[in-house]
């Protein structure tokens, strides 16, 4: 790996995964270099006025990983630990995810180094608008299309769409996806990532011949993705026995009342002081015995220290990069856990973002039933492709999924050639 400005633990982890896929594909060195490194990035300084009148300055980023297969696509993260290396890793994962799903996009990601829980709604609006304002020269409906990620949500997207549209002088809904339906968002987009996680989990349970009503699930992270995954699994008959967020975890072997937890979190902005289960730490939660473990928060929460302690049969990676490379090797060596890799498991989000972009460009809107039916079809197609690739390359699901994405991008780059 070269010494680049993206140098960080998360970027190194994404590069390590890429190398495993590139090795198994026997990609030549020059193709690797061309396929791996992000095409371009922008770093911005974001001054905003706090509610008390003081001016505070935040740092923001956007990384576009490759421009070979269409516009770039990826979320915007608001989190206190965001840095350019993490954003680049997330952009790279978006590339493989889009290619695996067959979407006409390269990967991108954005972020602002801020703890959103410390800002008021009015301050969050000013920060979101300022971020989009600074990004205007770098994005576009056929250049780079943003979406929500950790710490951002449909409201953030509405503010960003409004800011961009005001500059243009007309409404441009296709500049971001994950908007509320009232301003051009797709029905089902808010639920799509969690729905896709639940759908992939159901398929893995079918493969393992485990009836849904005999399965248990543990979910780490109870934001957009984790809460919807828990809700859909609960609806399918799976017993959700533990959930958590940044404030801690809750365990109830009789089954968590998922709907009550969602309502509580919506009212209180977190699960803090919730009384729907026995409190436990996030570390304890990861080691609970269950059928399905769903990390749906940050990257690298499963590491060499806890991979040996996991007691799940299926690891459904709802978050991006939740398993670091040491843990991955340990899990592969154990051989008793089926991994649904992030680039497949959470791809429902970007797939429905693609549907939203199509609907905005055509000004024609689909029903929720149409959205979910098309989503399931695309997820099943990706899943079958990963299974076939696993057999062809005699490898694990993660390397197979990444290798599919990597080889599609490398092939497109080869066909387009080098300019000049
Ligand atoms: P979110 O901001 O809605 O929710 C994040 C949740 O994680 C919150 O409940 C938060 O309290 C919890 N959390 C944060 N730090 C934690 C910690 N240290 N331990 C335990 N819990 C913690 O974010 P989201 O949109 O649900 O995204 C979650 C993950 O899913 C991220 O990895 C994101 O990149 C990935 N993802 C999101 C989407 C999407 O459509 N939103 C799509 C694909 C992947």
């Amino acid at each position: 790996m070269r010494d680049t400005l993206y140098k960080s633990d998360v970027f190194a982890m994404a590069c390590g995964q890429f190398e495993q896929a590139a090795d198994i594909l026997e990609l030549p060195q020059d193709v690797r270099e061309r396929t791996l490194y992000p095409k371009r990035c922008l770093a911005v300084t974001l001054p905003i006025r706090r509610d008390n009148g003081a001016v505070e300055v935040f740092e923001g980023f956007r990384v576009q990983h490759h421009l070979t297969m269409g516009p770039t696509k990826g979320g915007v993260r608001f989190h206190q630990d965001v840095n350019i290396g993490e954003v680049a890793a997330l952009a790279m994962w978006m590339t493989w995810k889009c290619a695996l799903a067959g979407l006409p996009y390269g990967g991108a990601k954005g972020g602002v180094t801020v703890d959103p829980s410390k800002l008021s709604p009015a301050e969050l609006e000013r920060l979101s608008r300022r971020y989009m304002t600074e990004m205007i020269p770098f994005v576009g409906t056929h250049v780079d299309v943003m979406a929500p990620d950790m710490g951002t949500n449909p409201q953030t997207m509405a503010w960003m769409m409004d800011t961009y549209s005001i500059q243009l002088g007309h409404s441009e809904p296709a500049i971001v996806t994950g908007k509320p339906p009232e301003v051009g968002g797709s029905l089902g987009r808010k639920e799509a990532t969690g729905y896709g996680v639940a759908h992939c989990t159901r398929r893995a349970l079918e493969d393992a011949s485990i009836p849904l009503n005999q399965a248990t699930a543990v979910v780490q992270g109870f934001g957009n993705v984790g809460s919807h995954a828990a809700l859909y699994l609960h609806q399918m008959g799976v017993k959700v026995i533990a959930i958590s967020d940044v404030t801690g975890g809750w365990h109830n072997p009789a089954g968590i009342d998922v709907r009550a937890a969602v309502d509580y979190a919506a009212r209180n902005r977190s699960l803090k002081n919730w009384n729907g289960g026995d409190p436990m730490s996030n570390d304890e939660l990861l080691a609970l015995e269950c059928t399905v473990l769903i990390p749906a928060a940050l990257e690298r929460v499963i590491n060499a220290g806890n991979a040996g302690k996991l007691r799940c049969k299926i690891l459904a990676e709802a978050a991006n990069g939740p398993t670091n490379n040491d843990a991955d090797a340990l899990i592969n060596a154990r051989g008793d856990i089926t991994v649904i890799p992030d680039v497949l498991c959470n791809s429902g989000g970007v797939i429905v973002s693609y549907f939203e972009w199509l609907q905005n460009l055509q000004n024609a809107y689909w029903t929720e039933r149409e959205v979910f039916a098309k989503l399931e079809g695309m997820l099943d197609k990706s899943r079958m492709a990963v299974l076939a690739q696993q057999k062809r390359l005699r490898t694990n699901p993660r390397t197979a999924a990444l290798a599919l994405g990597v080889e599609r991008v490398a092939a497109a780059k080869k066909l387009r050639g080098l300019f000049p």
Side-chain angles (χ1 to χ4, degrees):
M1 190 184 131
R2 283 165 186 252
D3 225 2
T4 67
L5 82 157
Y6 306 112
K7 195 172 175 184
S8 63
D9 290 345
V10 193
F11 190 68
M13 170 182 158
C15 291
Q17 293 179 344
F18 169 85
E19 290 298 343
Q20 283 187 14
D23 284 349
I24 209 158
L25 292 168
E26 298 178 358
L27 283 189
Q29 191 56 30
D30 60 329
V31 178
R32 290 181 194 220
E33 299 245 324
R34 206 178 151 198
T35 313
L36 171 64
Y37 293 107
K39 189 68 183 173
R40 56 192 190 185
C41 67
L42 181 65
V44 291
T45 300
L46 307 166
I48 64 152
R49 203 170 289 286
R50 300 294 302 259
D51 292 344
N52 64 9
V55 172
E56 192 165 345
V57 174
F58 297 91
E59 210 177 6
F61 310 98
R62 185 80 183 162
V63 175
Q64 296 169 359
H65 184 249
H66 84 89
L67 313 176
T68 310
M69 292 159 91
T72 50
K73 186 86 194 74
V76 181
R77 178 173 290 195
F78 283 5
H79 191 272
Q80 59 275 18
D81 297 334
V82 160
N83 59 61
I84 188 87
E86 181 191 43
V87 175
L90 290 162
M92 194 196 306
W93 286 324
M94 281 304 291
T95 287
W96 317 138
K97 194 185 300 180
C98 292
L100 172 63
L103 307 180
Y105 293 138
K109 207 79 181 190
V112 178
T113 314
V114 58
D115 181 348
S117 69
K118 302 255 159 61
L119 297 191
S120 71
E123 291 167 338
L124 278 172
E125 175 172 356
R126 291 196 281 276
L127 185 62
S128 307
R129 289 187 182 278
R130 186 69 197 219
Y131 177 78
M132 177 49 104
T133 304
E134 300 297 342
M135 287 293 145
I136 286 175
F138 202 52
V139 298
T141 53
H142 294 284
V143 181
D144 184 9
V145 179
M146 299 179 186
D149 189 75
M150 250 186 136
T152 56
N153 56 33
Q155 176 62 77
T156 322
M157 295 302 113
W159 290 327
M160 290 188 178
M161 183 277 258
D162 183 69
T163 305
Y164 189 81
S165 298
I166 285 169
Q167 297 293 322
L168 251 66
H170 62 86
S171 209
E172 192 66 272
I175 187 62
V176 296
T177 58
K179 303 173 291 293
E182 293 84 346
V183 291
S186 177
L187 294 177
R189 172 59 187 91
K190 184 159 56 85
E191 300 83 1
T193 312
Y195 185 90
V197 170
H199 181 76
C200 291
T201 301
R202 172 169 52 190
R203 291 286 185 250
L205 289 168
E206 284 165 7
D207 285 348
S209 303
I210 301 172
L212 290 164
N213 61 8
Q214 284 175 30
T216 55
V218 168
V219 184
Q220 185 198 43
F222 206 65
N224 176 282
V225 178
S227 66
H228 285 109
L231 271 176
Y232 286 114
L233 283 170
H234 175 69
Q235 276 173 23
M236 289 173 189
V238 173
K239 195 197 282 181
V240 178
I241 56 165
I243 56 173
S244 76
D245 72 3
V246 70
T247 66
W250 288 264
H251 180 212
N252 186 346
I256 295 277
D257 184 342
V258 182
R259 177 45 68 191
V262 169
D263 292 344
Y264 184 93
R267 275 197 312 276
N268 299 285
R269 282 179 95 179
S270 79
L271 288 168
K272 195 172 179 188
N273 297 329
W274 189 53
N275 61 5
D278 300 327
M280 59 167 40
S281 71
N282 266 288
D283 285 345
E284 289 167 328
L285 176 124
L286 290 174
L288 281 174
E289 185 169 0
C290 58
T291 320
V292 194
L293 176 62
I294 305 183
L298 287 168
E299 54 268 13
R300 297 183 302 140
V301 292
I302 299 171
N303 48 47
N306 59 16
K309 297 183 191 148
L310 300 188
R311 288 189 292 154
C312 59
K313 293 189 171 64
I314 295 166
L315 178 62
E317 294 187 333
N320 286 306
T323 310
N324 81 7
N325 296 351
D326 293 340
D328 217 22
L330 286 167
I331 289 170
N332 286 332
R334 276 178 60 160
D336 58 346
I337 296 177
T338 300
V339 177
I340 313 175
D342 51 2
V343 289
L344 171 64
C345 192
N346 69 32
S347 64
V350 71
I351 291 172
V352 177
S353 273
Y354 168 60
F355 296 165
E356 182 170 322
W357 183 72
L358 287 181
Q359 292 171 75
N360 292 155
L361 293 178
Q362 296 171 357
N363 229 337
Y365 289 86
W366 310 354
T367 63
E368 189 176 84
R369 186 190 286 258
E370 280 174 292
V371 168
F372 285 145
K374 283 183 209 272
L375 171 61
E376 288 190 13
M378 287 182 68
L379 286 172
D380 286 340
K381 193 170 160 207
S382 294
R383 187 177 149 268
M384 296 315 288
V386 172
L387 281 173
Q389 182 82 320
Q390 237 180 290
K391 283 203 186 110
R392 185 170 79 87
L393 300 177
R394 295 207 181 87
T395 187
N396 57 65
R398 183 188 316 287
T399 305
L402 292 173
L404 267 174
V406 169
E407 72 183 347
R408 288 176 182 170
V409 174
K413 283 187 182 284
K414 189 169 174 214
L415 283 165
R416 285 188 60 159
L418 267 184
F419 178 84

